[in-house]
Amino acid sequence: RERPAVAVERLERVTRERFLRDIYPRRKPVVLTGLELGTCTTKWTIDYLSQAEGPKEVKIHVSAVPQMDFLSKNFVYRTLPFDVFVRRAAEVKHKEYFLTEDEKYYLRSVGEDVRKDIADIRKQFPVLAEDVHIPEYFEKEQFFSSVFRISSAGLQLWTHYDVMDNFLIQVTGKKRVVLYSPRDAPYLYLSGTKSEVLDVDNPDLEKYPLFVKAKRYQCVLEAGDVLFIPALWFHNVISEEFGVALNVFWKHLPAESYDKTDTYGNKDPMAASRAIQILDRALKTLEELPEEYRDFYARRMVLRIQEKAYRNDYG
């Protein structure tokens, strides 16, 4: 049986000082409510959004099914004028569509040149950026990106982790977020930064039997709520309503720890990437031994890793 979900703690009007002193060091998700986010929470109606940034082109994900899967790539990329996109994403049934009349839309803003530029709402959506007051609970030089997101109602995004801390600011609409601790990575059937378990509510337990061991944390974000997602925490997001959100990522580690070519904030830290490459080489070397020896020395390596690198102070 799956364990019951643990409700993510909700805290009201948390100051920057209190966040940095009491909450941040715990490295656990928390929903911050009652923060000053600017006029966006009242101003960003469908009409206002579509006229504010007008007909400039945006690249979007379009999916015929509500569960978007990055591993099987069950979506297509299309381009639409922003005002047209906003109106379409807000509809349930479409008169004009790419795949099906009830297709789902998702915008994740990117930099001008995806390979070189990070997402920054001030550059890509300057008019809308004026309406937002981002809670800067980190130093200016730690800022990495501000990702503007718009989702159709019912859209579910794949479970994944990011390597930087972030705030998910729910500006309008409602989202349900399911989270898993980095500790539970062994039960999440990872492929890179993503979990193969797409349907976290009705998982295929024949295919993913260990998934039941993962401890599920859950919260519902209403307009104006801010979810702190610590780096390496897995999250699966479902938009219960058409909604607009802003993700702000910042660097928790020293700047040089991160891959300079990472514009999305999801490439593993440099040292972790090097360690994984070394491990792959070690495993290749083990292949020179007969099976019985390979099994024995692989187990010894696992014990060595546990002894040298695992934390033992997890609650």
Side-chain angles (χ1 to χ4, degrees), residues 78-158:
R78 292 290 180 265
T79 304
L80 279 176
F82 184 71
D83 50 357
V84 175
F85 158 70
V86 169
R87 294 193 180 282
R88 277 219 214 163
E91 303 167 340
V92 177
K93 284 267 187 280
H94 313 293
K95 286 194 177 67
E96 292 181 45
Y97 51 85
F98 297 108
L99 307 170
T100 64
E101 61 174 12
D102 53 3
E103 65 195 14
K104 304 292 182 194
Y105 298 92
Y106 172 54
L107 166 73
R108 183 235 188 259
S109 66
V110 290
E112 310 320 314
D113 178 341
V114 186
R115 289 184 303 279
K116 292 206 286 279
D117 303 322
I118 51 142
D120 185 340
I121 190 173
R122 293 165 301 190
K123 291 181 183 155
Q124 288 101 40
F125 298 92
V127 179
L128 295 176
E130 295 286 309
D131 304 333
V132 186
H133 174 73
I134 291 171
E136 295 197 356
Y137 286 22
F138 46 89
E139 299 302 324
K140 284 249 187 295
E141 62 275 12
Q142 286 178 284
F143 170 83
F144 176 72
S145 66
S146 51
V147 181
F148 183 62
R149 300 181 191 272
I150 297 183
S151 307
S152 293
L155 179 81
Q156 185 168 15
L157 291 179
W158 54 90

Coordinates of all heavy atoms in Angstrom, one line a residue, residues 78-158:
R78 N 5.2 23.8 -31.0 CA 4.5 24.6 -32.0 C 4.8 26.1 -31.7 O 5.1 26.4 -30.5 CB 3.0 24.4 -32.1 CG 2.6 23.0 -32.7 CD 3.0 22.9 -34.2 NE 2.6 21.6 -34.7 CZ 3.5 20.6 -34.9 NH1 4.7 20.7 -34.4 NH2 3.1 19.4 -35.4
T79 N 4.6 27.0 -32.6 CA 4.7 28.4 -32.4 C 3.4 29.1 -32.6 O 2.7 28.8 -33.6 CB 5.8 29.0 -33.3 OG1 7.0 28.2 -33.1 CG2 6.1 30.4 -33.0
L80 N 3.1 30.0 -31.7 CA 1.8 30.8 -31.8 C 2.1 32.2 -31.4 O 3.0 32.5 -30.5 CB 0.7 30.3 -30.9 CG -0.1 29.1 -31.4 CD1 -1.1 28.6 -30.3 CD2 -0.9 29.4 -32.6
P81 N 1.4 33.2 -31.9 CA 1.4 34.6 -31.3 C 1.0 34.5 -29.8 O 0.0 33.7 -29.5 CB 0.5 35.4 -32.1 CG 0.2 34.6 -33.4 CD 0.4 33.2 -33.0
F82 N 1.6 35.2 -29.0 CA 1.4 35.1 -27.5 C -0.1 35.3 -27.2 O -0.7 34.6 -26.4 CB 2.2 36.1 -26.7 CG 2.1 36.0 -25.2 CD1 2.6 34.9 -24.6 CD2 1.4 37.0 -24.5 CE1 2.4 34.8 -23.2 CE2 1.2 36.8 -23.1 CZ 1.7 35.7 -22.5
D83 N -0.7 36.4 -27.8 CA -2.2 36.6 -27.5 C -3.1 35.5 -27.9 O -4.0 35.1 -27.2 CB -2.6 38.0 -28.1 CG -2.3 38.1 -29.6 OD1 -1.6 37.2 -30.2 OD2 -2.7 39.1 -30.2
V84 N -2.8 34.9 -29.0 CA -3.6 33.7 -29.5 C -3.4 32.5 -28.6 O -4.3 31.8 -28.2 CB -3.2 33.3 -31.0 CG1 -3.9 32.0 -31.4 CG2 -3.4 34.4 -31.9
F85 N -2.1 32.3 -28.2 CA -1.8 31.2 -27.3 C -2.5 31.3 -26.0 O -3.1 30.3 -25.5 CB -0.2 31.1 -27.0 CG 0.1 30.4 -25.8 CD1 -0.1 29.1 -25.7 CD2 0.6 31.1 -24.7 CE1 0.2 28.4 -24.5 CE2 0.9 30.5 -23.5 CZ 0.7 29.1 -23.4
V86 N -2.5 32.5 -25.3 CA -3.1 32.7 -24.0 C -4.6 32.3 -24.1 O -5.1 31.6 -23.3 CB -3.0 34.1 -23.5 CG1 -3.9 34.4 -22.3 CG2 -1.5 34.4 -23.2
R87 N -5.3 32.8 -25.2 CA -6.7 32.5 -25.3 C -7.0 31.0 -25.5 O -7.9 30.4 -24.9 CB -7.4 33.3 -26.4 CG -7.3 34.8 -26.1 CD -8.2 35.7 -27.0 NE -8.1 37.1 -26.5 CZ -8.7 37.6 -25.5 NH1 -9.5 36.8 -24.7 NH2 -8.5 38.8 -25.2
R88 N -6.1 30.4 -26.3 CA -6.3 28.9 -26.6 C -6.0 28.1 -25.3 O -6.8 27.2 -25.0 CB -5.3 28.5 -27.6 CG -5.9 28.8 -29.0 CD -5.5 27.6 -29.9 NE -5.2 28.0 -31.3 CZ -4.6 27.3 -32.2 NH1 -4.1 26.1 -31.8 NH2 -4.4 27.7 -33.4
A89 N -5.0 28.5 -24.6 CA -4.6 27.7 -23.3 C -5.8 27.8 -22.3 O -6.0 26.9 -21.5 CB -3.3 28.2 -22.7
A90 N -6.5 28.9 -22.4 CA -7.6 29.1 -21.4 C -8.9 28.4 -21.8 O -9.8 28.2 -21.0 CB -7.9 30.6 -21.2
E91 N -9.0 27.9 -23.0 CA -10.2 27.2 -23.5 C -10.1 25.7 -23.1 O -9.0 25.2 -23.0 CB -10.3 27.2 -25.0 CG -10.3 28.5 -25.7 CD -10.1 28.4 -27.2 OE1 -9.6 27.4 -27.7 OE2 -10.4 29.4 -27.9
V92 N -11.2 25.1 -23.0 CA -11.2 23.6 -22.7 C -11.3 22.9 -24.1 O -10.6 22.0 -24.4 CB -12.4 23.2 -21.8 CG1 -12.5 21.7 -21.6 CG2 -12.2 23.9 -20.5
K93 N -12.3 23.4 -24.9 CA -12.4 22.8 -26.3 C -11.9 23.9 -27.3 O -12.3 25.1 -27.1 CB -13.9 22.5 -26.6 CG -14.3 21.2 -25.9 CD -14.2 20.0 -26.8 CE -14.8 18.7 -26.3 NZ -13.9 18.1 -25.3
H94 N -11.2 23.5 -28.3 CA -10.7 24.4 -29.3 C -11.3 24.4 -30.6 O -11.6 23.3 -31.1 CB -9.2 24.2 -29.5 CG -8.4 24.0 -28.2 ND1 -8.2 25.0 -27.3 CD2 -7.8 22.9 -27.7 CE1 -7.5 24.5 -26.2 NE2 -7.2 23.3 -26.5
K95 N -11.6 25.5 -31.2 CA -12.1 25.5 -32.6 C -11.0 25.4 -33.5 O -11.0 24.7 -34.5 CB -12.9 26.9 -32.8 CG -14.2 27.0 -32.2 CD -15.0 28.1 -32.8 CE -16.4 28.2 -32.2 NZ -16.4 28.6 -30.7
E96 N -9.9 26.0 -33.1 CA -8.6 25.8 -33.9 C -7.6 25.1 -33.1 O -7.5 25.4 -31.9 CB -8.0 27.2 -34.3 CG -8.9 28.0 -35.2 CD -8.3 29.3 -35.6 OE1 -7.1 29.3 -35.9 OE2 -9.0 30.3 -35.6
Y97 N -7.0 24.1 -33.7 CA -6.1 23.2 -32.9 C -5.0 22.6 -33.8 O -5.2 22.6 -35.0 CB -6.8 22.2 -32.1 CG -7.8 21.4 -32.9 CD1 -7.4 20.2 -33.6 CD2 -9.2 21.7 -33.0 CE1 -8.3 19.5 -34.4 CE2 -10.1 21.0 -33.7 CZ -9.6 19.9 -34.4 OH -10.5 19.1 -35.2
F98 N -4.0 22.0 -33.2 CA -2.9 21.3 -33.9 C -3.2 19.8 -34.0 O -2.9 19.2 -35.0 CB -1.6 21.6 -33.3 CG -1.1 23.0 -33.3 CD1 -1.1 23.8 -32.1 CD2 -0.7 23.7 -34.4 CE1 -0.7 25.1 -32.1 CE2 -0.4 25.0 -34.4 CZ -0.4 25.7 -33.2
L99 N -3.6 19.2 -32.9 CA -3.7 17.8 -32.8 C -5.1 17.3 -32.6 O -5.6 16.5 -33.3 CB -2.8 17.2 -31.6 CG -1.3 17.7 -31.6 CD1 -0.6 17.2 -30.3 CD2 -0.6 17.0 -32.8
T100 N -5.7 17.8 -31.5 CA -7.1 17.4 -31.1 C -7.8 18.6 -30.5 O -7.2 19.5 -30.0 CB -7.2 16.3 -30.1 OG1 -6.6 16.8 -28.9 CG2 -6.4 15.0 -30.5
E101 N -9.2 18.6 -30.6 CA -9.9 19.7 -30.1 C -9.8 19.9 -28.5 O -10.1 21.0 -28.0 CB -11.4 19.7 -30.5 CG -12.1 18.5 -30.0 CD -13.6 18.5 -30.3 OE1 -14.0 19.4 -31.1 OE2 -14.4 17.7 -29.7
D102 N -9.3 18.9 -27.8 CA -9.1 19.1 -26.4 C -7.6 19.0 -26.0 O -7.3 18.7 -24.9 CB -10.0 18.2 -25.5 CG -9.8 16.7 -25.9 OD1 -9.0 16.4 -26.8 OD2 -10.5 15.9 -25.3
E103 N -6.7 19.3 -26.9 CA -5.3 19.3 -26.6 C -4.9 20.3 -25.5 O -5.7 21.3 -25.3 CB -4.5 19.6 -27.9 CG -4.7 21.1 -28.4 CD -4.2 21.2 -29.9 OE1 -4.0 20.2 -30.6 OE2 -4.1 22.4 -30.3
K104 N -3.8 20.0 -24.9 CA -3.3 20.8 -23.8 C -2.1 21.7 -24.2 O -1.3 21.2 -25.0 CB -2.9 20.0 -22.6 CG -4.0 19.0 -22.1 CD -5.1 19.8 -21.4 CE -6.2 18.8 -20.9 NZ -7.4 19.5 -20.6
Y105 N -2.0 22.8 -23.6 CA -0.9 23.7 -24.0 C 0.0 24.0 -22.8 O -0.5 24.1 -21.7 CB -1.4 25.1 -24.5 CG -2.2 24.9 -25.8 CD1 -3.6 24.8 -25.7 CD2 -1.6 25.0 -27.0 CE1 -4.3 24.7 -26.9 CE2 -2.3 24.9 -28.2 CZ -3.7 24.7 -28.1 OH -4.4 24.6 -29.3
Y106 N 1.3 24.3 -23.0 CA 2.2 24.6 -21.9 C 3.3 25.5 -22.5 O 3.9 25.2 -23.5 CB 2.8 23.3 -21.4 CG 3.9 23.4 -20.4 CD1 3.8 24.2 -19.3 CD2 5.1 22.8 -20.6 CE1 4.8 24.4 -18.3 CE2 6.2 22.9 -19.7 CZ 6.0 23.7 -18.6 OH 7.0 23.9 -17.7
L107 N 3.5 26.6 -21.8 CA 4.6 27.5 -22.2 C 5.6 27.5 -21.1 O 5.2 27.7 -19.9 CB 4.0 28.9 -22.4 CG 5.1 30.0 -22.4 CD1 5.9 30.0 -23.7 CD2 4.5 31.4 -22.3
R108 N 6.8 27.3 -21.4 CA 7.9 27.4 -20.4 C 8.9 28.4 -21.1 O 9.5 28.1 -22.1 CB 8.6 26.1 -20.2 CG 9.7 26.2 -19.2 CD 11.1 25.7 -19.7 NE 12.1 25.6 -18.6 CZ 13.0 26.5 -18.4 NH1 13.2 27.6 -19.2 NH2 13.9 26.4 -17.5
S109 N 8.9 29.6 -20.6 CA 9.7 30.6 -21.3 C 11.2 30.3 -21.4 O 11.7 29.6 -20.5 CB 9.5 32.0 -20.7 OG 10.1 32.0 -19.4
V110 N 11.8 30.6 -22.5 CA 13.3 30.4 -22.6 C 14.0 31.6 -23.1 O 13.3 32.6 -23.5 CB 13.5 29.3 -23.7 CG1 13.0 27.9 -23.2 CG2 12.8 29.6 -25.0
G111 N 15.3 31.6 -23.0 CA 16.1 32.8 -23.5 C 16.0 32.9 -25.0 O 15.5 32.0 -25.7
E112 N 16.5 34.1 -25.5 CA 16.5 34.3 -26.9 C 17.2 33.2 -27.7 O 16.7 32.7 -28.6 CB 17.1 35.7 -27.3 CG 16.7 36.9 -26.5 CD 15.2 37.0 -26.2 OE1 14.4 36.7 -27.1 OE2 14.8 37.2 -25.0
D113 N 18.4 32.9 -27.2 CA 19.1 31.8 -27.8 C 19.2 30.7 -26.7 O 19.9 30.9 -25.7 CB 20.5 32.2 -28.2 CG 21.4 31.0 -28.8 OD1 21.0 29.9 -28.5 OD2 22.4 31.3 -29.4
V114 N 18.4 29.6 -26.9 CA 18.2 28.6 -25.9 C 19.6 28.0 -25.4 O 19.7 27.7 -24.2 CB 17.3 27.5 -26.4 CG1 17.0 26.5 -25.2 CG2 16.0 28.0 -26.9
R115 N 20.5 28.0 -26.3 CA 21.8 27.4 -25.9 C 22.7 28.3 -25.1 O 23.5 27.8 -24.4 CB 22.6 27.0 -27.2 CG 22.0 25.8 -28.0 CD 22.9 25.4 -29.2 NE 23.1 26.5 -30.1 CZ 22.1 26.9 -31.0 NH1 21.0 26.2 -31.1 NH2 22.4 27.9 -31.8
K116 N 22.4 29.6 -25.2 CA 23.3 30.5 -24.5 C 22.5 31.4 -23.4 O 23.2 31.8 -22.4 CB 23.9 31.5 -25.5 CG 24.9 30.8 -26.4 CD 26.0 31.8 -26.9 CE 25.4 32.7 -27.9 NZ 25.4 32.1 -29.3
D117 N 21.3 31.6 -23.6 CA 20.6 32.6 -22.7 C 19.6 31.9 -21.8 O 18.9 31.0 -22.2 CB 19.8 33.6 -23.6 CG 20.7 34.3 -24.6 OD1 21.8 34.6 -24.2 OD2 20.2 34.6 -25.7
I118 N 19.5 32.4 -20.6 CA 18.6 31.8 -19.6 C 17.2 32.5 -19.7 O 17.2 33.6 -20.4 CB 19.1 32.1 -18.1 CG1 19.5 33.5 -18.0 CG2 20.3 31.2 -17.8 CD1 19.2 34.1 -16.6
A119 N 16.2 31.9 -19.2 CA 14.9 32.6 -19.2 C 14.9 33.7 -18.1 O 15.4 33.5 -17.0 CB 13.8 31.6 -18.8
D120 N 14.5 34.9 -18.5 CA 14.4 36.0 -17.6 C 13.2 36.8 -18.0 O 13.2 37.4 -19.1 CB 15.7 36.8 -17.7 CG 15.7 38.0 -16.7 OD1 14.7 38.4 -16.2 OD2 16.9 38.5 -16.5
I121 N 12.2 36.8 -17.1 CA 10.9 37.5 -17.5 C 11.1 38.9 -17.8 O 10.4 39.5 -18.7 CB 9.9 37.3 -16.3 CG1 8.5 37.8 -16.8 CG2 10.3 38.0 -15.1 CD1 7.3 37.6 -15.8
R122 N 12.1 39.6 -17.3 CA 12.4 41.0 -17.6 C 12.8 41.2 -19.0 O 12.6 42.3 -19.6 CB 13.5 41.5 -16.6 CG 13.0 41.6 -15.2 CD 14.2 41.8 -14.2 NE 15.2 40.7 -14.3 CZ 16.2 40.5 -13.5 NH1 16.4 41.4 -12.5 NH2 17.1 39.5 -13.6
K123 N 13.5 40.2 -19.6 CA 13.9 40.3 -21.0 C 12.8 39.8 -22.0 O 12.6 40.4 -23.0 CB 15.2 39.5 -21.2 CG 16.4 40.2 -20.5 CD 17.6 39.4 -20.7 CE 18.8 40.0 -19.9 NZ 19.8 39.1 -19.6
Q124 N 12.2 38.6 -21.6 CA 11.3 38.0 -22.6 C 9.9 38.6 -22.5 O 9.2 38.7 -23.5 CB 11.2 36.5 -22.4 CG 12.5 35.8 -22.9 CD 13.5 35.4 -21.8 OE1 13.0 35.0 -20.7 NE2 14.7 35.6 -22.0
F125 N 9.5 39.0 -21.3 CA 8.1 39.6 -21.1 C 8.2 40.9 -20.3 O 7.7 40.9 -19.2 CB 7.2 38.6 -20.4 CG 7.0 37.3 -21.3 CD1 7.8 36.2 -21.1 CD2 6.0 37.2 -22.2 CE1 7.7 35.1 -21.8 CE2 5.8 36.1 -23.0 CZ 6.7 35.0 -22.8
P126 N 8.9 41.9 -20.8 CA 9.2 43.1 -20.0 C 7.9 43.8 -19.5 O 7.9 44.3 -18.4 CB 9.9 44.0 -21.0 CG 9.7 43.5 -22.4 CD 9.4 42.0 -22.2
V127 N 6.8 43.8 -20.3 CA 5.6 44.5 -19.8 C 5.0 43.8 -18.6 O 4.7 44.4 -17.6 CB 4.5 44.6 -20.9 CG1 3.3 45.3 -20.4 CG2 5.1 45.3 -22.2
L128 N 5.0 42.5 -18.6 CA 4.4 41.7 -17.5 C 5.4 41.7 -16.3 O 4.9 41.8 -15.2 CB 4.2 40.2 -17.9 CG 3.1 40.0 -19.0 CD1 3.0 38.6 -19.4 CD2 1.7 40.5 -18.5
A129 N 6.7 41.8 -16.6 CA 7.7 41.8 -15.5 C 7.4 43.0 -14.6 O 7.7 43.0 -13.4 CB 9.1 41.9 -16.1
E130 N 6.9 44.1 -15.1 CA 6.7 45.3 -14.3 C 5.6 45.1 -13.2 O 5.6 45.8 -12.2 CB 6.1 46.4 -15.3 CG 7.0 46.9 -16.3 CD 8.1 47.8 -15.7 OE1 7.7 48.8 -15.0 OE2 9.3 47.6 -16.0
D131 N 4.8 44.1 -13.4 CA 3.7 43.8 -12.5 C 4.1 42.9 -11.3 O 3.3 42.6 -10.4 CB 2.5 43.2 -13.2 CG 1.9 44.0 -14.4 OD1 2.1 45.2 -14.3 OD2 1.4 43.4 -15.3
V132 N 5.3 42.3 -11.5 CA 5.7 41.3 -10.5 C 6.7 41.8 -9.5 O 7.7 42.4 -9.9 CB 6.3 40.1 -11.2 CG1 6.6 38.9 -10.3 CG2 5.4 39.6 -12.3
H133 N 6.5 41.5 -8.2 CA 7.5 41.7 -7.2 C 8.0 40.3 -6.8 O 7.3 39.6 -6.1 CB 6.9 42.5 -6.1 CG 7.9 42.7 -4.9 ND1 9.0 43.5 -5.0 CD2 8.0 42.1 -3.7 CE1 9.6 43.4 -3.9 NE2 9.1 42.5 -3.1
I134 N 9.2 40.0 -7.2 CA 9.8 38.7 -6.8 C 10.3 38.7 -5.4 O 11.1 39.6 -5.1 CB 10.9 38.2 -7.8 CG1 10.2 38.0 -9.2 CG2 11.6 37.0 -7.3 CD1 11.2 37.7 -10.3
P135 N 9.9 37.8 -4.5 CA 10.5 37.8 -3.2 C 12.0 37.4 -3.3 O 12.3 36.3 -3.6 CB 9.7 36.7 -2.4 CG 8.6 36.3 -3.3 CD 9.0 36.7 -4.7
E136 N 12.9 38.4 -3.0 CA 14.3 38.1 -3.2 C 14.9 37.6 -1.8 O 15.5 38.4 -1.1 CB 15.0 39.3 -3.7 CG 14.5 39.7 -5.1 CD 15.5 40.6 -5.9 OE1 16.5 41.1 -5.3 OE2 15.2 40.9 -7.1
Y137 N 14.6 36.3 -1.6 CA 15.1 35.8 -0.3 C 16.5 35.1 -0.6 O 16.8 34.1 0.0 CB 14.1 34.7 0.2 CG 12.9 35.3 0.7 CD1 12.4 36.6 0.4 CD2 12.1 34.6 1.6 CE1 11.3 37.1 0.9 CE2 10.9 35.1 2.2 CZ 10.5 36.4 1.8 OH 9.4 36.9 2.3
F138 N 17.3 35.8 -1.4 CA 18.6 35.3 -1.8 C 19.4 36.5 -2.2 O 18.8 37.6 -2.5 CB 18.6 34.2 -2.9 CG 17.6 34.6 -4.0 CD1 18.1 35.3 -5.1 CD2 16.3 34.3 -4.0 CE1 17.3 35.7 -6.1 CE2 15.4 34.7 -5.0 CZ 15.9 35.4 -6.1
E139 N 20.7 36.4 -2.3 CA 21.5 37.5 -2.8 C 21.4 37.8 -4.3 O 21.2 36.8 -5.0 CB 23.0 37.3 -2.4 CG 23.3 37.1 -0.9 CD 22.9 38.3 -0.1 OE1 23.0 39.4 -0.6 OE2 22.4 38.0 1.0
K140 N 21.5 39.0 -4.7 CA 21.4 39.4 -6.1 C 22.2 38.5 -7.0 O 21.8 38.0 -8.1 CB 21.7 40.8 -6.3 CG 20.6 41.8 -5.9 CD 20.0 42.5 -7.1 CE 19.0 43.6 -6.7 NZ 17.8 43.1 -6.0
E141 N 23.5 38.3 -6.6 CA 24.4 37.5 -7.5 C 24.1 36.0 -7.5 O 24.6 35.3 -8.4 CB 25.9 37.8 -7.1 CG 26.3 37.3 -5.7 CD 26.0 38.4 -4.7 OE1 25.3 39.4 -5.0 OE2 26.5 38.2 -3.5
Q142 N 23.2 35.6 -6.7 CA 22.8 34.2 -6.7 C 21.7 33.9 -7.7 O 21.5 32.8 -8.1 CB 22.3 33.7 -5.3 CG 23.4 33.5 -4.3 CD 22.7 33.1 -3.0 OE1 22.1 33.9 -2.3 NE2 22.8 31.8 -2.6
F143 N 21.0 35.0 -8.2 CA 19.9 34.8 -9.1 C 20.4 34.1 -10.3 O 21.4 34.3 -10.9 CB 19.4 36.2 -9.5 CG 18.4 36.1 -10.6 CD1 17.0 35.9 -10.4 CD2 18.8 36.4 -11.9 CE1 16.1 35.8 -11.5 CE2 17.9 36.3 -13.0 CZ 16.6 36.0 -12.8
F144 N 19.6 33.1 -10.8 CA 19.9 32.4 -12.0 C 18.9 32.6 -13.1 O 19.3 33.1 -14.2 CB 20.0 30.8 -11.7 CG 20.2 30.0 -13.0 CD1 21.5 30.1 -13.6 CD2 19.2 29.3 -13.5 CE1 21.7 29.3 -14.8 CE2 19.4 28.5 -14.7 CZ 20.6 28.6 -15.3
S145 N 17.6 32.4 -12.9 CA 16.6 32.6 -13.9 C 15.2 32.9 -13.4 O 14.9 32.5 -12.2 CB 16.6 31.4 -14.9 OG 16.1 30.3 -14.2
S146 N 14.4 33.5 -14.2 CA 13.0 33.6 -13.8 C 12.2 33.1 -15.0 O 12.2 33.7 -16.1 CB 12.6 35.1 -13.5 OG 13.0 35.9 -14.5
V147 N 11.5 32.0 -14.8 CA 10.8 31.2 -15.9 C 9.3 31.5 -15.8 O 8.7 31.2 -14.8 CB 11.1 29.7 -15.8 CG1 10.4 29.0 -16.9 CG2 12.6 29.5 -15.8
F148 N 8.8 32.0 -16.9 CA 7.4 32.4 -17.0 C 6.7 31.1 -17.5 O 7.1 30.5 -18.5 CB 7.2 33.5 -17.9 CG 5.8 34.1 -18.1 CD1 5.1 34.6 -17.1 CD2 5.3 34.0 -19.4 CE1 3.9 35.1 -17.2 CE2 4.0 34.6 -19.6 CZ 3.3 35.1 -18.5
R149 N 5.6 30.7 -16.8 CA 4.9 29.5 -17.3 C 3.4 29.7 -17.4 O 2.8 30.3 -16.5 CB 5.1 28.3 -16.2 CG 6.6 28.0 -16.0 CD 6.7 26.8 -15.0 NE 8.0 26.6 -14.6 CZ 8.9 25.8 -15.2 NH1 8.5 25.1 -16.2 NH2 10.1 25.6 -14.7
I150 N 2.8 29.1 -18.4 CA 1.3 29.1 -18.6 C 0.9 27.7 -18.9 O 1.5 27.1 -19.8 CB 0.9 30.1 -19.7 CG1 1.2 31.6 -19.3 CG2 -0.6 30.0 -19.9 CD1 0.8 32.6 -20.2
S151 N -0.1 27.2 -18.2 CA -0.6 25.8 -18.5 C -2.1 25.8 -18.7 O -2.8 26.5 -18.0 CB -0.3 24.9 -17.2 OG 1.0 25.0 -16.9
S152 N -2.5 24.9 -19.6 CA -3.9 24.6 -19.7 C -4.4 23.9 -18.5 O -3.7 23.2 -17.8 CB -4.2 23.6 -20.9 OG -3.8 24.2 -22.1
A153 N -5.7 24.0 -18.2 CA -6.3 23.2 -17.1 C -6.2 21.7 -17.3 O -6.3 21.2 -18.5 CB -7.8 23.6 -17.0
G154 N -5.8 21.0 -16.3 CA -5.7 19.5 -16.4 C -4.3 19.0 -16.8 O -4.1 17.8 -16.8
L155 N -3.4 19.9 -17.2 CA -2.1 19.5 -17.7 C -1.3 19.0 -16.5 O -1.2 19.6 -15.5 CB -1.4 20.7 -18.4 CG 0.0 20.3 -18.9 CD1 -0.1 19.6 -20.2 CD2 0.9 21.6 -19.0
Q156 N -0.6 17.8 -16.7 CA 0.3 17.3 -15.7 C 1.7 17.2 -16.3 O 1.9 16.6 -17.4 CB -0.2 15.9 -15.2 CG 0.6 15.3 -14.1 CD -0.1 14.1 -13.5 OE1 -1.0 13.5 -14.0 NE2 0.4 13.7 -12.3
L157 N 2.7 17.7 -15.5 CA 4.1 17.6 -16.0 C 4.8 16.5 -15.3 O 4.6 16.2 -14.1 CB 4.8 19.0 -15.7 CG 4.3 20.2 -16.5 CD1 5.1 21.4 -16.0 CD2 4.5 19.9 -18.0
W158 N 5.7 15.9 -16.0 CA 6.5 14.8 -15.5 C 7.3 15.1 -14.2 O 7.6 16.2 -13.9 CB 7.6 14.4 -16.6 CG 8.4 15.6 -17.1 CD1 9.6 16.0 -16.5 CD2 8.1 16.5 -18.1 NE1 10.0 17.1 -17.2 CE2 9.2 17.5 -18.2 CE3 7.0 16.7 -19.0 CZ2 9.2 18.5 -19.1 CZ3 7.1 17.7 -19.9 CH2 8.2 18.6 -20.0

